[in-house]
Amino acid sequence: MPALIRVGHRGAPAVAADNTLESFDAALAIGVDMIEFDVLAGRRQRGALFVAHDYGALTRHPPLTLETALAHFATPAFDGIRLQLDIKRRGYEGAVVDALDAAGLRERAFISTGVRGVLAQFRSLAPGLPLGWTVPDLPLINEVPTVGHLYRRRIPQRAAARIRSGAIDALVPHWSMVTAELVEAVRGAGGEIYTWTVNDATQIQRLAALGVTGVISNDPRLFGAIVQ
């Protein structure tokens, strides 16, 4: 079985504030294979892209621009580290591709989102850029049990079909949705599966044993206890 890809969720929030250069440096120091971070367009700054999960995060500390983050990732210290850009809104796909190209990082990038229409736009703009479909809509799944049951039952087939069609390259499911059936469907279709956000070593071990491609965690230190 291939080695588990260790992904720092917004860097290493268990060590330093998330979506910051300090958090990215902490994840690197701990030892990760990929760093996930959020990308959001500013409301007031026309055309500006920031590393932030939501608009509230832009007010809590001086916002980190995507340009600055990518310049940091382009330094020799981060050579070989893959980058997972989680896109929070639609409408700035082209600007993200341009920013990756300007930093020379397109080859190390992986795009993920659950926002409808965004992945199709990226596929059109940058056909070779790996794309991951983030699932599910947790409030809907958790608040309406009948909907949640149907969603979970159908997702292996839906994910496999999207992978085979070329619409996506990977599934990015919440850890609670990951079953042997789901992993088998995704892998059997030729795709990858990265699961979020896992902050328990026992759960990471279970997911690794199921054969997921990668695990996304707030505390990359937990990966040190995993037996592969």
Side-chain angles (χ1 to χ4, degrees), residues 9-10 31 56 83 89 98 103 105 151 158 163 175 179 196 217:
H9 182 240
R10 307 179 196 169
L83 307 173
R89 299 285 189 277
D98 288 344
L105 293 174
Y151 188 98
R158 292 177 62 197
I163 292 166
W175 66 265
T179 62
W196 55 278
S217 178

Side-chain angles (χ1 to χ4, degrees), residues 16 21 25 53 69 94 98-99 122 128 143-144 151-153 163 171 176 187 192 206 208 221:
L21 299 184
D25 288 344
H53 179 267
D98 288 344
F122 272 106
E143 293 171 14
V144 188
Y151 188 98
R152 293 170 191 273
R153 191 176 70 185
I163 292 166
L171 186 70
S176 64
R187 291 289 209 174
E192 296 184 317
R206 178 187 77 87
R221 294 172 299 187

Side-chain angles (χ1 to χ4, degrees), residues 135-212:
V135 296
D137 180 342
L138 283 179
L140 177 63
I141 298 303
N142 292 335
E143 293 171 14
V144 188
T146 54
V147 172
H149 177 73
L150 185 62
Y151 188 98
R152 293 170 191 273
R153 191 176 70 185
R154 290 182 175 177
I155 200 66
Q157 183 179 4
R158 292 177 62 197
R162 293 194 70 183
I163 292 166
R164 290 193 176 99
S165 74
I168 62 173
D169 304 286
L171 186 70
V172 187
H174 186 261
W175 66 265
S176 64
M177 296 192 64
V178 180
T179 62
E181 179 189 7
L182 181 61
V183 174
E184 183 179 354
V186 170
R187 291 289 209 174
E192 296 184 317
I193 180 167
Y194 297 87
T195 184
W196 55 278
T197 301
V198 193
N199 301 315
D200 176 80
T202 301
Q203 195 62 245
I204 294 175
Q205 186 69 66
R206 178 187 77 87
L207 294 161
L210 285 177
V212 299

Side-chain angles (χ1 to χ4, degrees), residues 78-111:
F78 286 87
D79 283 352
I81 301 298
R82 290 184 63 197
L83 307 173
Q84 180 183 349
L85 288 72
D86 195 58
I87 309 302
K88 311 312 292 185
R89 299 285 189 277
R90 64 170 61 89
Y92 48 91
E93 298 88 345
V96 170
V97 173
D98 288 344
L100 287 169
D101 287 343
L105 293 174
R106 190 196 286 206
E107 297 302 314
R108 285 163 49 194
F110 166 54
I111 301 295

Side-chain angles (χ1 to χ4, degrees), residues 20-33:
T20 62
L21 299 184
E22 293 76 14
S23 190
F24 303 152
D25 288 344
L28 178 68
I30 293 167
V32 297
D33 307 297

Side-chain angles (χ1 to χ4, degrees), residues 3-50:
L4 181 74
I5 294 177
R6 304 160 298 171
V7 188
H9 182 240
R10 307 179 196 169
V15 179
D18 66 349
N19 280 328
T20 62
L21 299 184
E22 293 76 14
S23 190
F24 303 152
D25 288 344
L28 178 68
I30 293 167
V32 297
D33 307 297
M34 183 187 296
I35 293 176
E36 184 268 1
F37 58 96
D38 303 305
V39 181
L40 186 66
R43 281 175 167 168
R44 298 178 181 177
Q45 307 90 338
R46 184 179 296 275
L49 296 177
F50 296 96

